[in-house]
């Protein structure tokens, strides 16, 4: 039975939550391996819509065990707020498991995040201000707090004191901001210890034992390839490893155990925050995609920047992730357009470039080279077979498949769990 990694193949918000949720009905574990509550998934089940920020999409599937891996950073207040919200709506969260090695987002890092972004001024990155970046920085600087530290008050206080010896100095002397009290921060974090203790385990051992027993696992990535700290449009990226390789480092499962890697991509493209975006639209077409597609952030509510499908990005994501499949979402949003542009290459300084530019300046100056495809008028939200789609919609999917260098195995034709066309099964 497979271990399947699901990653974003663009700049995030592609619909990974829906893909994970759908596979969750067929798997034993859904594992979140990176990021924190800086990105969200919207999952529609029947007539209900669920906005998930920190919890894996598998939390909505009875019988599936949702797991937060060591690569995730956890805001404990958000964690329990989200749990309480789901339980108030009848969702059983008792099977949630959290790695003892996952790092905690302390309250001072949310403040540090906000003041850092403010100090950047015009060079701001467009972060969510939720303390994600500073917490990953603490992890690399080896002054971070881990879930397991909640169970040793003495160790926790020592670590908070060590971190605040730096953070308070920065806040007071550089930013002229109020500082944090060591005992107050320690007490706030310890208030969650008894609640989180039953959820904590050795995630690496649990997942490897599950694979040995023939269980099926889905690894659910946050953000997307173009926001990866190493391979994205740096510095306008997130602070974690969003590619398929991050599933291994963020969970403790080795790469030889991964069987399938699924990239999720919209039938157009969006991004939130600052940074280069070659196909971005500033006209009525961009507004049409935003309003028709409901392109507003699940976590922040910010309007997303919208553009046409970028096959250069798709090929790059396919390459760096070794994608075996693409799940194409929101094809229905394109219904009613007379023609649909697709970016097939970039023009940079008068030269055509078919691959992702290595140089950051080149990416900022890249101009899209478009090919145009005829649209369709027919409502496709009730289509459940590929052959049910209008011919122009079928042709569009075939062309994206060719340009992206990876087969398109599933197509979203609406927000509902059931509004998906499956061309190739993701679980054999």
């Amino acid at each position: 039975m497979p271990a399947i990694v699901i990653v974003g193949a663009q700049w995030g918000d592609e619909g990974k939550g829906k893909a994970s949720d759908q596979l969750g009905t067929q798997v034993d574990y859904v594992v979140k391996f990176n990021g924190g509550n800086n990105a969200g998934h919207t999952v529609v089940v029947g007539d209900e819509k669920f906005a998930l920020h920190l919890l894996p999409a598998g939390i909505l599937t009875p019988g599936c065990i949702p797991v937060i891996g060591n690569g995730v950073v956890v805001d404990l207040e958000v964690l329990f707020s989200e749990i309480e919200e789901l339980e108030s709506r009848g969702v059983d969260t008792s099977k949630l498991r959290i790695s003892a090695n996952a790092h905690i987002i302390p309250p001072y890092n949310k403040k540090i995040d906000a003041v850092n972004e403010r100090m950047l001024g015009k060079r701001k990155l467009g972060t969510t201000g939720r303390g994600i970046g500073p917490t990953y920085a603490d992890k690399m600087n080896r002054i971070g707090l881990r879930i397991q530290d909640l169970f040793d008050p003495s160790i926790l206080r020592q670590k908070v004191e060590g971190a605040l010896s730096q953070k308070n100095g920065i806040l007071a002397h550089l930013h002229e901001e109020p500082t944090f009290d060591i005992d107050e921060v320690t007490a706030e974090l310890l208030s969650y210890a008894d609640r989180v203790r039953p959820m904590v385990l050795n995630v690496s051992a649990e997942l490897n034992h599950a694979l040995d027993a023939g269980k099926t696992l889905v690894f659910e990535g946050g953000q997307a390839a173009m926001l990866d700290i190493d391979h994205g449009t740096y510095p306008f990226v997130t602070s974690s490893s969003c590619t398929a390789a991050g599933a291994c480092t963020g969970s403790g499962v080795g790469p030889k155990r991964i069987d399938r890697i699924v990239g999720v991509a919209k039938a157009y493209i969006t991004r939130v925050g600052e940074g280069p975006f070659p196909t971005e639209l500033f006209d009525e077409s961009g507004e049409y995609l935003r309003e028709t597609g409901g392109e507003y952030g699940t976590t922040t509510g910010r309007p997303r920047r919208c553009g046409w499908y970028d096959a250069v990005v798709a090929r790059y994501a396919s390459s760096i992730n070794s994608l075996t499949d693409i799940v194409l979402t929101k094809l229905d949003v394109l219904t009613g357009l007379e023609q649909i542009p697709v970016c097939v290459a970039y023009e940079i300084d008068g030269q055509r470039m078919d691959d992702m530019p290595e140089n950051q300046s080149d990416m900022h100056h890249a101009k899209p080279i478009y090919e145009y495809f005829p649209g369709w008028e027919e409502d496709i939200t009730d289509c459940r077979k590929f052959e049910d789609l209008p011919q122009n919609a079928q042709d569009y999917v075939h062309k994206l498949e060719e340009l992206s260098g990876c087969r398109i195995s599933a197509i979203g034709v609406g927000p509902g769990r059931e509004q998906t066309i499956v061309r190739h099964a993701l679980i054999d």
Side-chain angles (χ1 to χ4, degrees):
M1 298 296 288
I4 303 169
V5 177
I6 297 178
V7 292
Q10 297 167 328
W11 274 287
D13 306 308
E14 302 95 344
K16 299 180 292 296
K18 179 182 176 183
S20 296
D21 172 65
Q22 288 175 317
L23 287 175
T25 63
Q26 307 171 64
V27 305
D28 300 292
Y29 291 79
V30 173
V31 185
K32 183 167 183 173
F33 62 82
N34 76 304
N37 60 305
N38 55 333
H41 297 319
T42 299
V43 180
V44 179
V45 182
D47 295 329
E48 290 197 82
K49 181 184 290 187
F50 296 89
L52 304 176
H53 306 279
L54 182 58
L55 296 174
I59 197 91
L60 299 175
T61 303
C64 177
I65 298 176
V67 177
I68 292 176
N70 59 273
V72 178
V73 290
V74 180
D75 185 322
L76 293 165
E77 180 182 5
V78 171
L79 173 69
F80 287 106
S81 175
E82 200 164 328
I83 287 172
E84 289 165 7
E85 164 68 15
L86 290 180
E87 289 182 341
S88 73
R89 299 174 64 181
V91 177
D92 178 14
T93 65
S94 63
K95 292 186 177 181
L96 177 65
R97 300 293 179 261
I98 302 174
S99 171
N101 291 335
H103 278 245
I104 297 167
I105 300 175
Y108 48 80
N109 275 348
K110 288 184 272 190
K111 185 65 174 180
I112 291 285
D113 202 0
V115 296
N116 283 348
E117 184 77 346
R118 188 181 69 216
M119 291 294 289
L120 286 172
K122 293 181 179 180
R123 301 187 307 278
K124 67 180 181 178
L125 303 176
T127 74
T128 59
R130 285 163 167 75
I132 309 297
T135 301
Y136 277 114
D138 284 359
K139 180 177 181 177
M140 296 308 170
N141 286 329
R142 289 159 291 183
I143 59 169
L145 313 176
R146 297 191 293 178
I147 292 289
Q148 60 184 276
D149 296 329
L150 296 174
F151 312 131
D152 190 326
S154 176
I155 288 292
L156 180 66
R157 192 187 187 284
Q158 290 177 43
K159 290 189 173 184
V160 170
E161 183 177 13
L164 284 180
S165 67
Q166 298 181 24
K167 308 283 181 168
N168 278 340
I170 292 171
L171 289 170
H173 303 301
L174 184 60
H175 300 295
E176 297 183 348
E177 292 280 351
T179 58
F180 286 82
D181 180 79
I182 297 168
D183 291 323
E184 287 180 5
V185 171
T186 303
E188 178 182 338
L189 295 175
L190 286 174
S191 70
Y192 296 103
D194 289 341
R195 295 176 69 187
V196 79
R197 190 187 299 270
M199 306 174 186
V200 177
L201 82 167
N202 182 335
V203 162
S204 176
E206 173 79 6
L207 298 181
N208 279 288
H209 290 328
L211 287 168
D212 290 340
K215 304 291 186 181
T216 305
L217 280 60
V218 165
F219 296 86
E220 174 192 293
Q223 291 82 37
M226 298 304 293
L227 294 174
D228 183 83
I229 187 66
D230 289 297
H231 303 289
T233 47
Y234 189 90
F236 304 99
V237 294
T238 192
S239 305
S240 61
S241 297
C242 313
T243 56
C248 298
T249 57
S251 68
V253 170
K256 290 180 69 174
R257 311 214 70 164
I258 305 299
D259 299 285
R260 186 159 288 169
I261 302 171
V262 180
V264 184
K266 282 176 184 165
Y268 48 101
I269 196 167
T270 64
R271 83 171 293 175
V272 172
E274 307 299 321
F277 185 5
T279 69
E280 184 172 9
L281 297 166
F282 300 97
D283 57 11
E284 63 275 6
S285 295
E287 190 62 26
Y288 173 86
L289 293 176
R290 184 177 299 109
E291 295 304 317
T292 307
E295 297 297 351
Y296 296 89
T298 301
T299 295
T300 64
R302 290 184 292 182
R304 295 173 183 146
R305 302 156 65 189
C306 297
W308 300 121
Y309 190 89
D310 190 328
V312 181
V313 165
R315 289 192 293 271
Y316 178 67
S318 179
S319 174
I320 63 174
N321 288 289
S322 296
L323 296 184
T324 59
D325 304 83
I326 288 176
V327 172
L328 188 72
T329 63
K330 292 196 168 184
L331 184 65
D332 54 299
V333 173
L334 302 182
T335 297
L337 297 175
E338 184 176 346
Q339 66 175 6
I340 306 170
V342 173
C343 173
V344 297
Y346 298 149
E347 180 187 326
I348 302 173
D349 295 332
Q351 300 294 315
R352 178 186 173 111
M353 184 172 289
D354 293 291
D355 296 321
M356 184 63 58
E358 181 69 22
N359 186 288
Q360 177 184 336
S361 296
D362 286 344
M363 187 61 178
H364 277 281
H365 295 101
K367 297 178 181 178
I369 298 173
Y370 287 117
E371 289 186 16
Y372 297 86
F373 302 92
W376 57 91
E377 294 289 340
E378 299 91 332
D379 181 6
I380 65 172
T381 56
D382 290 326
C383 294
R384 296 296 178 268
K385 296 180 180 178
F386 188 67
E387 296 74 19
D388 295 338
L389 291 172
Q391 188 60 51
N392 285 351
Q394 294 185 42
D395 293 343
Y396 181 71
V397 172
H398 281 304
K399 192 62 181 179
L400 295 192
E401 193 170 50
E402 174 189 331
L403 290 167
S404 303
C406 182
R407 72 179 187 178
I408 295 175
S409 295
I411 303 162
V413 293
R417 181 183 268 180
E418 76 288 349
Q419 289 179 295
T420 302
I421 295 170
V422 178
R423 298 177 71 207
H424 307 285
L426 296 177
I427 297 180
D428 299 324

